[in-house]
Amino acid sequence: MAANDAVLLRSLELRLLRCSISSDAVELLHSPIEPSPQFPHLHSLLNDVVLLIESGEYRQALASSSASEALFSNPHLDSLDSAHRFYSELLPECVSSFLNVSGSEDSVELGYKALIVMAIAVASLLAFNQCNFTGPSVSVPLIPLAKLSILEYKKVGDEWMEWEAWAHKELMSVGSDLCAKFSNLQYLIFGKTLLLKMKDALFEESLSSIDGIRSTSWWLARALFLHQKLLDERSSSLFDLLQVCKNESFSYLGTLEKIEEYWCPNEDCSTILSLLQLEAGMVELYYGRVDTSKRHFESAAEVSNFNFYLTGALGFRTMHQVEPKAQLLLVTGTYNGSAKSSSNNNYPPPQSSENEASDILMTPRFVVDEKNSGSVEQDAKQHSVAATPLTATHQALILAQCLLVEKKARNDEMQKWEMAPYIEAIDSQSPSPFMIGTAYLCHNCQQFSILIGSRLANHDPTIFISQLRCFCNLLRVRWESRRSRTKQRSLMMMEHLVEGVYSHSPGPGVAERLYYCFGMNMPPIPALRKEYGDLLVSCGLIGEALKIYEDLELWDNLIYCYQLMDKKAAAVELIKKRLCEKPSDPRLWCSLGDVTNDDASYEKALEVSGRRSARAYRSLARSAYNRGEYEKSKILWESAMGLNSLYPDGWFALGAAALKSKDVDKALDAFTRAVQLDPENGEAWNNIACLHMVKKRSKEAFIAFKEALKLKRESWQMWENYSQVAVDIGNLSQAMEAVQKVLDLSNKKRCDSGLLERIMLEIEERTLISHSESNVANSDSSHTDPVNVSSNVANANGVHGLQTDSARSREAEHLIELIGKILRQIVQSGGNADIWGLYARWQKLKGDLAMCSEALLKQVRSYQGSDLWKDKDRFVKFANASLELCKVYQELALRGNSRRELFAAEMHLKSTIKQAIDLSNTKEYGDLVACLEDDVTTEMGAHWVELGINQFEGLWARDFLSEAASDTSVRAC
């Protein structure tokens, strides 16, 4: 490609891209002196189209330009029969015929033709954008080429409506319904088809001409994102395509060097790269990829050398506030570390009472301390956003950060207050691009006006509407609608916001409204009206909301309003009436099924949608689940998720259905997909953990429970399961923390004695190992040869071993303290026999045998009752506890030289043996007898000898015991 023609083509491509950049940035872009083109006719066609697009005349660029006539001169267009054939066959054929890639011998000519195709596609996309996003509303033909001479008289009236209905279905084929009623949907399909076909045709031949139109993938990504914004749910297929286009765009234009090499170095390349990073971040944020979007926003701020952060300053939030309070303040700076100097702002936000419709100020009034101008607070005030005029790019970055805060923060009242400094920062700026800035409410006339210069504009609504910039206003409405003191003001702001988007008033023209439209997450106009309807419902104005919902064909919202008004029959009647007019609308059939609970309506929705309605599949799956048909529900959910996999509730429901149908692997996979899409789904994390428990994967279950408990900390069931897997992996500290949490949540009424038994056994084992290692170390040190002491001190392995032993000993002591704290709480609230046994073992670990005997005695008494001598299992536990009690009594007797404990053991064993005569065939009964004969009696005799009693008295005592045992008929033969 000749160098001169490369410059011409790239300058025209840059002019197309400039259409979406704010005027303050465009003024910095200087076009090079245009050389003579090699193909003047093609250059003239392309230049005419670009001029029409720059002036906002998108319809003329599509239908009346010579370029359109040349591109769509295919004689086959004369035989139109269906929309599907036109968009899938004839339109791509026109592009291929016009480009003639295989027959073209000159890459310059091919480059011109390719850029003409892209310009026509961009004109179609921007026309659609005007009708559904930026306004003002205009009447345009339903088909983009309807005004071409070859098509002008082909179809009229209702015939084009069939094409629009086809476009409606085509856009929903990605697995989601449209969120409202949109107009001129064919323009989006038309532009997207042209871009895809042009891109594919150039790449098929691997021509270098694609190097001359590097922004193709960027425009295609914009078209796909517009499509996504129309949908009610996130689409997985669109997400995959967006990722491909985003990566291609960054491969061509991802650095300043690439942009400077492709376009003139004198251009404001940082603005272009910042916008690319900003739009990529918006796409990632829309799909919930917060970390990736944050990186894009940070890159955009770094490229534009813009830095901002939050700080605090004293200020007033309300008119009647007497004392200043700490307020959040946004401060700006640059990446080289210097703060921007303050400057006079010709557009200060109104703070006086006559400019406020509420006693809550639109922006806080900060305190200016003249006596301490060098203080940190005053320095922050001087360099705050209010005192620094910002470019449109910087304002867009601030609002992007505001959206990032909204996505990251918990959805509560504090979330909006964290967003407030960013909204107020834009409020304090001079008029900015239509899609970014904001307006103020005039208290006197109860409507908005913009401060122009240092005075208020006239209170003519047309002046307000002409200066309205939407996105910041919308964020303020969402914030203030949650506060009772500002809800009325938010309702009025929303009303004027909707009116301003539709208005044709003087001020921002069609082209000006486009600035940064793709870099802001501004909802489409119908979605904006829906949000207005929701606000009306929250204010109790249901009648007004009904009109909006019916006009937008939001049947679910309409049904909800009728139910609020106890008019369910009216909703059914309205839907049936609309079905007579649009029998092939799957949304209507699904809404009818919702209100009548009739599966036949969902089946009909699948039929009319060509089995492409994910909503119908989901409704049938829920119905099957409620009937107990879990296998059928699982299959239906799989079909629904196959159409749109970015529906987190669907994966959760699929997991539940699979679990009910005993398909554990499918359930685990579904719940995993659910948490990948929504990491804050605590129930899904819990189910994943439980399934891992079923599969005996304790480590995986432990990790999943930790994630679940971050979100569901008040569920004692989760804490109890968490304690089980913590013991399985040997993490006793976490296990006892979980047990403590269960006690707290259940008011000491819930405790798992079996789990505590496992923990106690592990602690006893670790304590025994610790004591053994300590004894071995002490024994080794006591036999150390004095000659080798100096060499042994330097032995690193020995030192390390001592440190390890010490750490184990401290860990064992810590665990003993933890379980003791838990057991004390349980026994204080009245523990059962098992708990008393554990408490006794803990006291024994602590070395307090007296308290151990008391606890064992309470355990024994807990087992006693009328059923003890008839219940073998209970007797076994009673006998084992009795044996432990007698052993402790013996140890106490040995330590204290007292016969009282031995007499107590003897009396208890005699009484037990006498009453348990019916259970004499059990092993435990024999153990009790052996304990009495061999241990207790022997110990008593030995004890008497130690006290100096003569042999005769010892024999007498032995005979006495023998006779007593014979009397009870328990003497062994």
Side-chain angles (χ1 to χ4, degrees), residues 622-633:
R622 293 189 189 99
S623 181
Y625 186 91
N626 293 333
R627 294 194 304 269
E629 300 175 8
Y630 302 119
E631 188 65 31
K632 181 180 179 181
S633 177

Side-chain angles (χ1 to χ4, degrees), residues 612-679:
R612 298 290 298 172
S613 175
R615 177 181 173 183
Y617 275 119
R618 291 196 290 262
S619 299
L620 288 171
R622 293 189 189 99
S623 181
Y625 186 91
N626 293 333
R627 294 194 304 269
E629 300 175 8
Y630 302 119
E631 188 65 31
K632 181 180 179 181
S633 177
K634 184 185 75 171
I635 295 172
L636 288 169
W637 274 118
E638 287 176 337
S639 300
M641 302 315 294
L643 290 173
N644 183 14
S645 61
L646 293 182
Y647 185 69
D649 293 343
W651 287 114
F652 186 88
L654 172 58
L659 196 58
K660 288 287 187 179
S661 60
K662 311 300 181 183
D663 191 346
V664 176
D665 292 331
K666 175 65 70 174
L668 183 59
D669 179 65
F671 289 130
T672 303
R673 294 290 297 274
V675 297
Q676 287 173 350
L677 293 176
D678 183 13

Side-chain angles (χ1 to χ4, degrees), residues 20 129 133-134 229 435 513-520:
S20 59
N129 190 69
F133 282 86
T134 60
K229 286 185 176 182
M435 279 292 163
R513 291 174 180 238
L514 184 64
Y515 297 152
Y516 285 91
C517 171
F518 300 105
M520 289 289 98

Side-chain angles (χ1 to χ4, degrees), residues 66 125 132 181 226 273 349 422 438 491 641 762 825 909:
S66 301
L125 292 177
N132 294 280
K181 179 183 177 182
L226 286 178
L273 183 56
Y422 302 94
T438 186
L491 181 61
M641 302 315 294
E762 183 69 23
Q825 294 179 61
L909 288 173

Side-chain angles (χ1 to χ4, degrees), residues 524-537:
I525 296 173
L528 189 65
R529 293 183 62 198
K530 175 184 177 295
E531 198 165 339
Y532 177 43
D534 296 340
L535 184 56
L536 287 170
V537 171

Side-chain angles (χ1 to χ4, degrees), residues 904-915:
E906 177 191 19
M907 295 298 295
H908 175 70
L909 288 173
K910 286 182 177 181
S911 174
T912 301
I913 292 171
K914 181 177 181 180
Q915 296 181 73

